[in-house]
């Protein structure tokens, strides 16, 4: 039990690399601010501005946090931007995708890390979230294991 408890504590202190791809999201400042007040502070945030008309860095003026890296590129799409983010992010024990249109509760990272460290055989964690623009609440998606195997896609 002591070894398990030690493992959980080390997992809860682990660095998390947060990845954000965005284009023309005016809510990016609110999203970033909600991440900066997380109870779990051992994270980096790599934001890829995927060809916004107004550079993301303009929305983030006044935020000077060494954990944040903002990269700008010509429009290439969400997956290409996330691939750049993961390549340019600092090494971490865990990686997570966050969205410029979403706001995150202060315990967001802590709770996800808690689930991952308590269930080490799981390869990911997901939670409900609320879209900052529409207020729509998204719940855990349903995955049909057979369909995933047949189609080999998510």
């Amino acid at each position: 039990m002591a070894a398990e408890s030690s493992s959980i504590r080390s997992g809860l202190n682990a660095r998390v690399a947060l990845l954000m791809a965005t284009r023309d999201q005016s809510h990016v400042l609110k999203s970033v601010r909600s991440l900066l007040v997380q109870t779990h502070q051992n994270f980096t945030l790599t934001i890829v501005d995927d060809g916004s008309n107004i550079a993301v860095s303009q929305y983030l003026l006044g935020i000077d946090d060494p954990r944040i890296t903002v990269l700008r590129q010509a429009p290439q799409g969400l997956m290409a931007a996330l691939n750049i983010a993961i390549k340019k992010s600092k090494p971490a024990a865990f990686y997570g995708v966050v969205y410029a249109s979403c706001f995150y509760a202060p315990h967001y990272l802590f709770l996800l890390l808690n689930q991952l460290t308590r269930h080490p055989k799981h390869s990911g964690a997901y939670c409900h979230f609320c879209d900052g623009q529409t207020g729509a609440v998204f719940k855990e998606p349903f995955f049909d294991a057979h369909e995933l195997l047949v189609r080999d896609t998510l």
Side-chain angles (χ1 to χ4, degrees):
M1 186 75 159
E4 179 183 327
S5 177
S6 174
S7 168
I8 288 172
R9 271 195 303 277
S10 66
L12 291 176
N13 293 322
R15 180 186 300 190
V16 179
L18 298 176
L19 316 169
M20 180 185 287
T22 184
R23 181 185 306 155
D24 296 322
Q25 284 287 336
S26 61
H27 290 343
V28 69
L29 178 60
K30 288 181 183 178
S31 180
V32 169
R33 282 186 176 155
S34 74
L35 292 167
L36 291 176
V37 298
Q38 291 296 300
T39 55
H40 179 82
Q41 288 285 301
N42 189 11
F43 69 88
T44 59
L45 173 60
T46 304
I47 303 170
V48 176
D49 179 346
D50 190 43
S52 295
N53 290 318
I54 299 172
V56 166
S57 58
Q58 293 299 307
Y59 289 111
L60 302 179
L61 289 174
I63 292 184
D64 184 24
D65 191 307
R67 297 173 296 175
I68 300 174
T69 302
V70 178
L71 307 167
R72 187 164 166 81
Q73 67 179 21
Q76 296 178 33
L78 176 64
M79 298 296 27
L82 287 174
N83 283 334
I84 294 294
I86 202 165
K87 286 178 187 174
K88 299 294 184 174
S89 68
K90 293 181 180 173
F94 298 98
Y95 292 84
V97 176
V98 291
Y99 299 94
S101 62
C102 295
F103 312 132
Y104 298 90
H107 295 297
Y108 170 76
L109 288 177
F110 173 80
L111 293 172
L112 290 178
L113 282 172
N114 187 39
Q115 287 302 306
L116 287 170
T117 54
R118 289 187 180 278
H119 305 281
K121 291 184 180 180
H122 293 183
S123 59
Y126 180 87
C127 71
H128 297 212
F129 69 92
C130 179
D131 185 297
Q133 291 178 329
T134 66
V137 174
F138 298 89
K139 297 186 178 183
E140 184 174 343
F142 171 76
F143 295 111
D144 181 327
H146 177 72
E147 283 296 313
L148 291 176
L149 291 173
V150 171
R151 297 177 189 260
D152 195 25
T153 60
L154 281 177

